[in-house]
Amino acid sequence: MARDLSPAVSPPRAAQARGGGRVTDGPAPPPRRPGRRARGWLYVLPAVAVYLGFAIWPALNTLRLSLLTWDGILPAEWAGLSNYVKIFRDSQLYEAILHSLALIIFFSVIPIGVGLLMTALLMGKVRRGMTFFRIVFFLPQVLPLVAVGITWRWLYSESGVVNQFLDLVGLGSITRAWLGDYGLALVALGLIGTWVMSGLCMMLFLAGAQKIDPSLYEAARLDGAGAFRQFRHVTVPGVRREITVAGVITTISALASFDLVFVTTNGGPAGQTNVPGLLVYRLAFNEGDIGGASALAVVLTVIVVAVVSAVRYFTRDDES
Amino acid sequence: MTRPARRAAVAALSVTTAFALTACAGTSGSGGNTATKVDVSTTIPNDPVTLTLAYTNDPPTKALIDGFTQKHPNVTIKPQMTPFNDYIKSIKLAMSGDAAPDIAQYNPGAMNSLVPAGLILDLSPWSKAYGWTTKFPPASLEVLSSDKSAKQFGTGSLYAVPGGLSVLGVFYNKKIVKEAPKTLADFEAAMQKAKDAGQTPLSNGALQVGGFHLWNALLNVTGDVNDYRSWVYGKPGATIENPAALKATQTLTDWAKKGYISSGASATADPDALASFAKGKSAFLITGNWGASALETEMKDDVGFFLMPTPSGEPAKVASGASVAYAISSKSKNPNVAAAFLDYLSSPEAAKIEFEGGFMPVDTKAELGATGLRGDIASAFAPVAQGNGIVPFPDFASPGMIDKLTPGIQGLISGKMAPDAFLKSLQESWDGHHGS
């Protein structure tokens, strides 16, 4: 394979493959188009196989399972759409969807805002400590979410760091076990997401902003634009694509959140932080209802696709 | 899309369809063969025999295996350990596979599917041959007996026997509480006293199982054990919406209102509650004897144990508990040897191993010579076990019950759920599984 690869990318033959003229002299080899195509597929095959095996096939299988009544062992029975009917009759699902929509604010909207702010502050000013800042802000992305969740559970606990800090600044009257508070648990959980996602957004935006032509800033300055207007009219349009990417990634992680919720609140207190992913897990592994879990997973997928399409629609590039 | 690409897409689609078809075969179930005739015998052959044993709780499993194989040197038992969180999933697959383990640690969640599929041996013939009904505490076998659909327990055939029992009770910090309370009112007074002294009365991990264990302990002393047993075993017509359960629920709500249980409990995991009690931050902790070894190491002689006291002050006759139990695969080639291992669990030698592993021994009359905390637990446990008073935890009642119990208790603690609404939500899950 490796030996086949090197001639294929050498300039003369690459040019020929694109239909260009021959670069070197000498007799032309006979055209071998079909063979080349077959070989091309050979190169793609490992990736295609992995994709089919681990993405497409499980997805189709989930769709099939959602139409069955199956506990994982006994023979499966055809259930038609009854799993879906059962799910939509359960008020828990609607609450869980509402919770995950609320999480979009914390996982997506605020981090994008924070990311843009940090980009504005760091752009073109900090040169030396840039790598340091990047590492610090990107750290949450590298840590496993389970470890992040358990750590935050302790930070938020009755005698945790958050409450110690509040005591210190004289806000001792509002201290509580934040993740156990009926009204505020979802907000507390969301803020963990904000902490995790902000660094990712900042990294994306900084990378995007670095490719903006400096002359644009110069021109804006000459036209009398201050720092804010430069940011508004040069930086933000310059990172529009990155904002879309960040929006899509963070929205998916908000809607499909599971691990963070599972280790911090497990849907509590009293179901105040239930999210659809958690309900899928419970149906499949606590109740042994593979069909119902698959149906819920399909519904969740539809919601994710719908919301992500909406995000892409609203942040689309007008010129294209 | 170019033409070859389209052709490839079609090819890819047909490949996935083929996959989907083979998967249909996968879900059609293995339908184990229960008709296999086994010659039941209580003697084991002298030829070398190798068994595999799938388990998730250790101790006591490995020590029990060692004890058994020392007694029978021709028998080799290969242990296969799976972490608890993955055990249900993995044991279901393993037992339906061709190379199923001979012996598997019993798990009610998995048995819901494995027993109806005929993958677990009915142990009744061995029970008769060995006389297990007298060797094991009757209550501990009741939980492990069920009908063929594994929906109603405490009836039908025996599918596993225990190799270690646990019991739910109250740990107290002797530095804060001088003496174990004798009545429920004494217990409340002791919590009030701790609260007045600025201490946390009760550590509770209501994020996980701690919350409903507390409720369960209260229910054990307020309710009629037969009502609870019928309900938890899935006896037709049973209900948890009864006055005793309402009283227990109301008591828990009152304790939360009085500040005995903090609202932070809903965000506290069981290990965190245990750790905070061990550090001396609270007066009481309600959990099972499985916490004993950690507490003993941390608190030395400053910790004691009692069963939830009854309102009248007479000794508690009922306590919840679970067991580490083992079942035999119907695919096992040596069921008689596997059964001999199960019988060994009730022996006096095994009793020592079980107790050292942090469990109460199956042989409830075994002389343990324990002192201190373990002595407290042993002396509280023995009369209850001998009086057939060990009952399963409420999450045993239906597969989805735990997802009603944990959030429900959190709702009670935060005052957002009324006691009768809590019981109603439990009964809904019960009805969904057993039929109303």
Side-chain angles (χ1 to χ4, degrees):
Chain A
M1 278 284 223
R3 229 188 302 136
D4 282 352
L5 190 67
S6 47
V9 294
S10 68
R13 294 176 68 177
Q16 187 191 34
R18 286 195 300 267
R22 288 178 47 76
V23 180
T24 47
D25 291 334
R32 294 189 310 176
R33 285 196 139 250
R36 293 182 76 82
R37 281 212 179 277
R39 206 161 73 191
W41 280 106
L42 209 61
Y43 288 131
V44 188
L45 194 65
V48 169
V50 167
Y51 189 62
L52 285 177
F54 293 98
I56 303 291
W57 155 238
L60 289 175
N61 206 10
T62 307
L63 198 62
R64 190 176 63 83
L65 287 174
S66 75
L67 303 173
L68 301 174
T69 304
W70 191 40
D71 68 349
I73 297 275
L74 292 174
E77 282 166 35
W78 182 254
L81 291 174
S82 68
N83 285 327
Y84 290 91
V85 174
K86 198 176 73 193
I87 286 169
F88 281 109
R89 284 211 183 123
D90 189 355
S91 62
Q92 267 199 346
L93 175 72
Y94 299 102
E95 282 171 26
I97 291 173
L98 276 181
H99 294 154
S100 65
L101 290 176
L103 285 183
I104 291 181
I105 298 172
F106 294 99
F107 278 59
S108 191
V109 178
I110 301 179
I112 288 177
V114 172
L116 283 174
L117 184 74
M118 295 304 291
T119 308
L121 292 175
L122 291 175
M123 238 337 255
K125 294 178 184 87
V126 186
R127 281 276 175 264
R128 288 197 120 195
M130 202 63 152
T131 320
F132 172 76
F133 279 109
R134 276 187 200 162
I135 291 172
V136 167
F137 287 110
F138 203 64
L139 212 55
Q141 284 292 321
V142 184
L143 298 171
L145 270 185
V146 172
V148 166
I150 292 176
T151 312
W152 274 91
R153 206 172 71 206
W154 289 337
L155 294 180
Y156 273 138
S157 73
E158 264 171 327
S159 54
V161 173
V162 172
N163 285 331
Q164 285 173 16
F165 175 77
L166 289 173
D167 271 332
L168 202 70
V169 299
L171 287 170
S173 57
I174 64 162
T175 57
R176 67 197 71 196
W178 295 94
L179 290 171
D181 188 276
Y182 192 81
L184 293 170
L186 190 65
V187 175
L189 181 70
L191 288 174
I192 306 175
T194 306
W195 178 77
V196 173
M197 291 300 167
S198 293
L200 174 76
C201 292
M202 190 200 72
M203 282 291 287
L204 282 170
F205 300 158
L206 272 178
Q210 270 160 4
K211 70 174 201 290
I212 298 173
D213 192 344
S215 65
L216 282 175
Y217 286 103
E218 211 173 305
R221 252 198 312 279
L222 286 176
D223 286 343
F228 177 74
R229 295 191 63 184
Q230 282 179 37
F231 174 72
R232 168 79 184 76
H233 293 288
V234 182
T235 311
V236 171
V239 296
R240 179 181 273 277
R241 283 164 201 270
E242 282 76 16
I243 294 177
T244 311
V245 171
V248 169
I249 295 177
T250 53
T251 307
I252 291 174
S253 66
L255 290 172
S257 56
F258 167 74
D259 33 14
L260 195 60
V261 185
F262 187 66
V263 295
T264 49
T265 62
N266 195 12
Q272 283 298 292
T273 56
N274 272 344
V275 288
L278 209 56
L279 300 184
V280 172
Y281 175 87
R282 285 180 188 164
L283 277 176
F285 298 118
N286 285 3
E287 300 191 34
D289 180 3
I290 308 282
S294 302
L296 187 49
V298 170
V299 172
L300 178 58
T301 309
V302 170
I303 294 170
V304 168
V305 169
V307 175
V308 164
S309 306
V311 169
R312 286 183 58 99
Y313 178 80
F314 286 115
T315 57
R316 71 193 184 282
D317 226 335
D318 287 330
E319 295 104 272
S320 62
Chain B
M1 229 188 220
T2 59
R3 196 181 307 166
R6 204 177 306 139
R7 217 187 301 145
V10 171
L13 206 67
S14 48
V15 169
T16 40
T17 323
F19 265 130
L21 290 174
T22 46
C24 285
T27 40
S28 65
S30 43
N33 188 3
T34 41
T36 336
K37 190 86 186 103
V38 182
D39 290 321
V40 173
S41 159
T42 56
T43 49
I44 47 176
N46 292 319
D47 315 327
V49 179
T50 302
L51 302 177
T52 46
L53 186 154
Y55 71 104
T56 181
N57 265 82
D58 194 53
T61 307
K62 265 170 121 177
L64 287 170
I65 291 177
D66 290 345
F68 180 74
T69 48
Q70 262 168 28
K71 227 175 144 185
H72 303 281
N74 62 316
V75 180
T76 315
I77 299 182
K78 280 199 231 156
Q80 285 175 353
M81 157 82 176
T82 311
F84 181 74
N85 284 337
D86 302 319
Y87 187 70
I88 297 186
K89 287 157 258 176
S90 80
I91 197 65
K92 275 195 200 172
L93 290 172
M95 294 300 275
S96 52
D98 289 331
D102 298 278
I103 304 172
Q105 187 179 331
Y106 182 89
N107 175 294
M111 296 304 147
N112 272 328
S113 319
L114 291 174
V115 168
L119 293 166
I120 300 289
L121 271 188
D122 173 359
L123 298 178
S124 309
W126 286 278
S127 175
K128 215 177 277 164
Y130 279 110
W132 281 345
T133 43
T134 54
K135 286 180 169 176
F136 293 89
S140 71
L141 294 184
E142 242 173 57
V143 189
L144 303 167
S145 309
S146 74
D147 60 359
K148 282 221 162 55
S149 63
K151 279 199 167 173
Q152 194 183 332
F153 291 81
T155 175
S157 313
L158 180 69
Y159 287 102
V161 296
L165 308 169
S166 62
V167 61
L168 183 65
V170 189
F171 291 91
Y172 66 104
N173 185 332
K174 288 183 177 169
K175 275 188 182 160
I176 302 173
V177 186
K178 290 279 163 293
E179 206 184 343
K182 293 278 181 296
T183 67
L184 198 56
D186 283 355
F187 186 30
E188 289 186 6
M191 286 196 287
Q192 184 64 44
K193 205 176 148 200
K195 186 170 178 279
D196 293 342
Q199 280 142 339
T200 307
L202 192 66
S203 280
N204 194 255
L207 174 66
Q208 293 166 343
V209 297
F212 72 78
H213 279 176
L214 167 59
W215 175 75
N216 190 198
L218 284 168
L219 184 57
N220 286 338
V221 295
T222 59
D224 178 54
V225 63
N226 291 322
D227 285 352
Y228 178 72
R229 217 177 238 143
S230 311
W231 181 74
V232 82
Y233 286 158
K235 208 170 171 188
T239 176
I240 196 69
E241 293 180 88
N242 58 50
L246 191 64
K247 198 173 162 210
T249 315
Q250 190 59 52
T251 307
L252 187 138
T253 314
D254 292 344
W255 286 8
K257 264 192 205 131
K258 288 178 187 162
Y260 302 160
I261 311 163
S262 82
S263 65
S266 301
T268 309
D270 285 306
D272 295 341
L274 185 96
S276 129
F277 174 76
K279 278 187 207 137
K281 288 186 184 164
S282 60
F284 297 101
L285 170 74
I286 294 177
T287 189
N289 60 323
W290 54 81
S293 63
L295 292 175
E296 228 172 13
T297 323
E298 193 86 18
M299 304 173 75
K300 308 283 184 290
D301 291 336
D302 293 334
V303 55
F305 180 89
F306 57 93
L307 295 178
M308 180 64 88
T310 56
S312 66
E314 62 178 285
K317 289 199 187 74
V318 183
S320 287
S323 60
V324 182
Y326 305 90
I328 303 178
S329 162
S330 51
K331 293 183 177 175
S332 172
K333 291 196 180 66
N334 299 295
N336 282 321
V337 184
F341 174 72
L342 301 195
D343 182 60
Y344 167 77
L345 302 174
S346 67
S347 68
E349 305 101 88
K352 266 212 183 73
I353 297 173
E354 290 155 11
F355 191 63
E356 275 160 23
F359 286 85
M360 296 313 298
V362 170
D363 180 3
T364 53
K365 295 193 178 75
E367 200 52 60
L368 300 166
T371 53
L373 179 60
R374 295 215 185 191
D376 278 6
I377 298 174
S379 56
F381 173 77
V384 178
Q386 285 162 10
N388 205 17
I390 298 292
V391 289
F393 294 111
D395 51 327
F396 199 89
S398 76
M401 190 61 75
I402 194 164
D403 296 322
K404 298 287 176 200
L405 286 163
T406 304
I409 297 290
Q410 292 169 349
L412 292 172
I413 292 175
S414 58
K416 300 285 174 185
M417 193 173 213
D420 50 347
F422 168 69
L423 297 178
K424 191 162 170 263
S425 77
L426 299 188
Q427 192 57 30
E428 270 167 13
S429 171
W430 195 96
D431 290 344
H433 184 65
H434 297 288
S436 45

